């Protein structure tokens, strides 16, 4: 692993969690791929070729710089550019909470891919609960925005996400809950600030 | 403009010509017995001959892509903002080839050239040429220059069709295709605009069925109108409103048919200018080349099947304000490339310039092209 990759994984443990579930040579679609760091890592470390989807101009240009395939598209309009079953693995990393049409996107992910990996900040973390209890919208490392400037529109807890998966017929295969880069075993919906799920269709 | 000492300009350049004596069979069934291609080059071909980039031009441009001429220092190449030392398509790294397609009026063999069979200008007898024919001719130019394989071909609009067609006509001879403000085929509306332009030329009394060269006239009125209608489609409504709005050219409305609005004045100026330097026979043929381009046609309309033979990596760029070839058309192309599991990146940029945005030096657009070219291995 190169120093650049190590620093990526140190800075973004959720990406490390995502990466561990991507098989060598898997075909990957990374939705909301940012500057393409994960795709670049997956290509270098796992020889997993893929495409990123991103909407922000500067991120898309960063992807081109990073020499990863990027498609500048709006996730809200679906994944109509991709045929059924094109990918082994579709990743939605720290983006779920910014999506308006959440159900549609989750269904689309499992239409175009065999497996979905979803990570998001946990609104059920005790620090968030405490802030709400004291009458304030939560602001934390995992939720760094003030209510009036946040791109997040659909916050959820682990329990909420798992409910939605059940309702959509999505099967959760694995779950990793994190806080400050460490795995959380006990009371995950209270003590975890991030969650990463590996899902398939039923 | 760019003086010769401007370090980011390629400086004074010299247009060259390559002659080809073996016949070129055209898609329409005709054969050109011989032909010439006008071209310019910038930068140096490296020892491995791996750094050549072909620049393909759109409707009214030429092989003069970058730099100026020693005897005409104000004549700056049409894509000078992109091509030069330290520019996104960096001539310190790449050997850039600008070429003029056949049928043009700027140096390559075209309707105004002498038909060897008659000793007189071809005029109306010059065949209708297509994007595929241009690419075949460009391949001869590549042979002439000793270029086995291009690192990339790049173009906007009609030039993008050539960059795309390279990957289909010569899949092994091109590594990257940069396809900007493009469409894999024209829509009915696109063809309709072209037909209005052609009708303007064909009905000009000075057209003489295309044999006007020896009559001492040109169908300037037709060309003028053709250019005016074309120009409307190159700009976005927003860009036009911003530039001209409803601004008046004179103090008050005239209640006659002279120029009231600035936009009228602008279109007349563009039309007049165009009619002094462009050839009507060329214009007719270019619009047909646009109309006829449809690589999926031989595959029952299945673009993915048509692109199955492409081997290049692609960068596709569209502009949200382009209503001539809007992003939807580029997405069709991207979808077909994805179905073939091609290496492709797609940018949909917010530049306000309309179809002509591909010619402007928008910071993000150029940053993306620079990043892409920088990653091309030599």
């Amino acid at each position: 692993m190169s120093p650049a990759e190590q620093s990526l994984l140190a800075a973004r443990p959720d990406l490390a969690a995502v990466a561990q579930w991507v098989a060598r040579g898997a075909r990957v679609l990374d939705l909301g791929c940012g500057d393409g760091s994960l795709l670049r890592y997956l290509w270098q470390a796992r020889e997993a070729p893929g495409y990123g989807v991103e909407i922000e101009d500067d991120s898309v240009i960063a992807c081109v710089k990073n020499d990863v395939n990027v498609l500048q598209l709006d996730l809200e309009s679906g994944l109509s550019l991709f045929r059924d079953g094109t990918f082994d693995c579709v990743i939605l990393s720290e983006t779920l909470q910014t999506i308006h049409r959440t159900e549609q996107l989750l269904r689309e992910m499992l239409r175009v891919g065999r497996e979905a990996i979803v990570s998001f900040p946990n609104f059920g973390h005790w620090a968030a609960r405490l802030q709400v209890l004291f009458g304030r919208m939560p602001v934390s490392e995992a939720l760094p925005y003030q209510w009036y400037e946040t791109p997040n529109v659909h916050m959820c807890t682990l329990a909420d996400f798992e409910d939605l998966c059940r309702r959509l017929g999505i099967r959760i295969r694995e779950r990793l809950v994190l806080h400050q880069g460490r795995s959380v075993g006990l009371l995950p919906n209270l003590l975890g600030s991030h969650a990463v799920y590996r899902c398939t269709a039923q | 403009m760019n003086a010769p000492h401007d370090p980011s300009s390629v400086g004074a350049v010299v247009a060259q010509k390559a002659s080809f004596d073996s016949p070129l069979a055209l898609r329409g069934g005709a054969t050109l017995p011989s032909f010439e291609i006008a071209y310019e080059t910038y930068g140096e071909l490296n020892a491995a001959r791996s750094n050549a980039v072909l620049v393909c031009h759109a409707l009214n441009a030429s092989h003069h892509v970058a730099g100026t001429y020693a005897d005409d220092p104000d004549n700056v190449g049409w894509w000078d903002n992109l091509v030069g030392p330290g520019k996104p398509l960096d001539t310190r790294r790449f050997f850039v080839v600008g070429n003029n397609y056949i049928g043009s009026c700027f140096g390559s063999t075209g309707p105004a050239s002498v038909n060897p069979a008659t000793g007189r200008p071809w005029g109306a007898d010059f065949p209708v040429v297509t994007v595929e024919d241009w690419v075949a001719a460009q391949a001869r130019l590549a042979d002439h220059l000793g270029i086995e394989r291009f690192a990339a071909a790049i173009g906007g609009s009609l030039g993008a069709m050539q960059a795309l067609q390279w990957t289909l006509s010569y899949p092994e001879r091109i590594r990257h295709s940069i396809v900007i403000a493009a469409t894999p085929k024209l829509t009915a509306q696109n063809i309709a605009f072209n037909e209005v332009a052609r009708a303007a030329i064909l009905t000009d009394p000075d057209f003489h069925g295309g044999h006007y060269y020896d009559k001492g006239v040109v169908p300037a009125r037709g060309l003028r109108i053709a250019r005016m209608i074309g120009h409307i489609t190159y700009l976005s409504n927003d860009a036009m409103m911003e530039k001209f709005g409803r601004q008046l050219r004179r103090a008050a409305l005239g209640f006659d048919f002279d120029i009231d609005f600035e936009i009228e004045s602008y279109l007349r100026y563009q039309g007049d200018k165009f009619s002094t330097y462009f050839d009507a026979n060329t214009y007719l043929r270019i619009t047909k080349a646009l109309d006829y381009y449809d690589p999926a046609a031989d595959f029952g309309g299945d673009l993915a099947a048509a692109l199955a033979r492409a081997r290049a990596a692609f960068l596709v760029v569209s502009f949200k304000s382009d209503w001539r070839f809007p992003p939807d058309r580029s997405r069709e192309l991207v979808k077909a490339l994805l179905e073939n599991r091609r290496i492709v990146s797609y940018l949909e940029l917010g530049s306000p310039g309309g179809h002509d945005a591909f010619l402007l030096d928008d910071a993000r657009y150029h940053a993306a092209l620079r990043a892409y070219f920088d990653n091309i291995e030599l």
Side-chain angles (χ1 to χ4, degrees):
Chain A
M1 197 184 293
S2 73
E5 289 160 14
Q6 266 166 352
S7 72
L8 162 75
L9 296 188
R12 290 287 305 274
D14 58 308
L15 292 189
V18 167
Q20 70 173 351
W21 287 334
V22 176
R24 181 162 293 276
R27 292 182 47 80
V28 174
L29 178 65
D30 184 4
L31 304 175
C33 65
D35 67 2
S37 301
L38 176 63
L39 281 167
R40 190 175 171 80
Y41 170 74
L42 290 174
W43 172 242
Q44 289 174 343
R46 299 281 157 95
E47 290 164 21
Y51 303 91
V53 174
E54 179 54 59
I55 193 160
E56 294 296 335
D57 286 347
D58 291 337
S59 298
V60 171
I61 293 164
C63 285
V64 176
K65 275 199 183 117
N66 268 328
D67 208 9
V68 298
N69 297 322
V70 63
L71 307 168
Q72 191 167 25
L73 300 169
D74 184 1
L75 291 177
E76 301 288 357
S77 50
L79 305 178
S80 58
L81 252 49
F82 306 101
R83 270 197 184 157
D84 295 5
T86 304
F87 298 98
D88 298 309
C89 180
V90 182
I91 297 164
L92 185 68
S93 167
E94 301 297 300
T95 303
L96 179 76
Q97 72 279 5
T98 67
I99 299 294
H100 285 87
R101 304 172 75 179
T102 312
E103 293 177 52
Q104 175 193 270
L105 185 61
L106 288 173
R107 281 201 200 92
E108 281 281 274
M109 287 174 73
L110 286 171
R111 175 183 69 77
V112 305
R114 213 163 37 76
E115 218 171 77
I117 299 177
V118 181
S119 79
F120 56 87
N122 177 24
F123 204 78
H125 184 245
W126 66 267
R129 296 191 198 195
L130 205 59
Q131 290 182 65
V132 173
L133 187 67
F134 284 108
R136 293 288 178 171
M137 286 299 286
V139 177
S140 66
E141 195 189 346
L143 302 168
Y145 302 100
Q146 293 291 343
W147 65 274
Y148 49 81
E149 58 171 17
T150 180
N152 299 334
V153 293
H154 283 155
M155 298 303 311
C156 70
T157 69
L158 273 59
D160 292 328
F161 180 74
E162 288 168 21
D163 274 353
L164 180 62
C165 287
R166 252 190 302 278
R167 203 162 65 67
L168 296 177
I170 293 171
R171 187 160 164 206
I172 295 169
R173 299 286 182 156
E174 278 180 272
R175 182 183 76 179
L176 184 70
V177 182
L178 296 164
H179 183 62
Q180 291 180 340
R182 293 216 177 85
S183 171
V184 175
L186 188 70
L187 297 173
N189 201 28
L190 192 64
L191 301 181
S193 51
H194 282 276
V196 193
Y197 288 85
R198 186 169 73 83
C199 311
T200 61
Q202 279 296 358
Chain B
M1 303 309 275
N2 286 303
H5 60 266
D6 176 352
S8 71
S9 168
V10 297
V13 297
V14 179
Q16 301 177 74
K17 272 190 190 178
S19 299
F20 302 92
D21 291 329
S22 53
L24 184 69
L26 303 171
R27 189 182 145 198
T31 297
L32 268 186
S34 62
F35 62 98
E36 286 185 321
I37 295 183
Y39 69 97
E40 292 179 6
T41 67
Y42 323 103
E44 300 289 331
L45 187 61
N46 63 10
R49 297 171 182 263
S50 64
N51 68 334
V53 174
L54 183 71
V55 177
C56 305
H57 70 79
L59 205 139
N60 67 321
S62 72
H63 48 289
H64 185 37
V65 174
T68 61
Y69 295 126
D71 58 354
D72 187 4
D74 291 336
N75 187 351
V76 179
W78 60 272
W79 222 350
D80 191 77
N81 63 26
L82 186 82
V83 179
K87 287 180 178 168
L89 178 41
D90 192 337
T91 50
R92 294 172 306 193
R93 190 158 177 259
F94 290 104
F95 177 64
V96 179
V97 181
N99 79 97
N100 183 217
Y101 48 53
I102 50 174
S104 177
C105 50
F106 293 127
S108 293
T109 299
S113 308
V114 172
N115 179 349
T118 63
R120 297 175 51 207
W122 282 91
D125 299 330
F126 193 83
V128 169
V129 285
T130 65
V131 171
E132 291 85 342
D133 300 329
W134 291 337
V135 168
Q138 287 160 351
R140 299 266 189 100
L141 178 63
D143 296 340
H144 172 80
L145 295 172
I147 299 163
E148 173 66 24
R149 199 172 183 215
F150 281 107
I154 180 172
S157 188
L158 182 55
M161 289 174 172
Q162 297 161 60
L164 171 61
Q165 185 58 36
W166 259 93
T167 71
L168 306 179
S169 294
Y170 304 98
E172 309 301 334
R173 297 192 68 177
I174 171 171
R175 292 194 284 132
H176 294 265
S177 176
I178 302 168
V179 177
I180 307 166
T183 180
K185 63 173 185 289
L186 266 64
T187 63
Q189 188 191 49
N190 295 146
I191 295 170
F193 276 117
N194 283 344
E195 174 53 14
V196 175
R198 283 191 295 267
I201 291 168
L202 294 169
T203 57
D204 186 322
D206 288 335
F207 181 61
H208 296 290
H211 289 293
Y212 49 84
Y213 300 117
D214 47 9
K215 297 200 165 53
V217 292
V218 290
R221 280 164 291 184
L223 257 181
R224 196 179 293 134
I225 295 168
R227 180 59 168 174
M228 287 166 86
I229 186 119
H231 214 87
I232 295 167
T233 68
Y234 306 148
L235 300 178
S236 69
N237 190 29
D238 285 349
M240 244 190 215
M241 276 309 278
E242 192 176 318
K243 197 167 176 185
F244 306 105
R246 290 179 54 85
Q247 213 176 322
L248 291 181
R249 184 76 181 165
R250 47 188 174 181
L253 295 177
F255 296 93
D256 57 24
F257 303 103
D258 277 348
I259 290 174
D260 283 310
F261 296 95
E262 284 287 359
I263 181 63
E264 295 174 287
S265 164
Y266 174 76
L267 282 181
R268 287 196 195 185
Y269 170 75
Q270 290 293 339
D272 287 345
K273 194 173 77 170
F274 191 68
S275 68
T276 62
Y277 74 84
F278 210 81
D279 183 54
N281 279 320
T282 290
Y283 201 90
L284 292 175
R285 279 158 184 77
I286 294 171
T287 56
K288 276 291 174 189
L290 278 159
D291 292 357
Y292 286 175
Y293 192 61
D294 181 8
D298 289 340
F299 295 83
D302 184 346
L303 185 60
L307 298 184
R309 62 190 189 278
R311 290 292 165 268
F314 287 81
L315 176 67
V316 180
V317 181
S318 74
F319 302 99
K320 285 177 189 164
S321 60
D322 181 357
W323 60 278
R324 180 182 170 92
F325 297 159
D328 280 351
R329 302 284 84 74
S330 286
R331 277 190 232 122
E332 272 176 45
L333 175 62
V334 171
K335 186 171 197 287
L337 291 169
L338 288 169
E339 285 176 16
N340 283 296
R341 305 194 163 188
R342 290 296 98 207
I343 292 173
V344 53
S345 280
Y346 170 58
L347 272 71
E348 198 170 296
L349 296 172
S351 319
H355 188 59
D356 270 354
F358 82 88
L359 293 167
L360 307 177
D361 65 347
D362 176 84
R364 286 176 174 175
Y365 168 50
H366 272 198
L369 291 181
R370 180 186 294 278
Y372 193 83
F373 277 116
D374 284 352
N375 278 329
I376 292 180
E377 287 172 17
L378 300 185

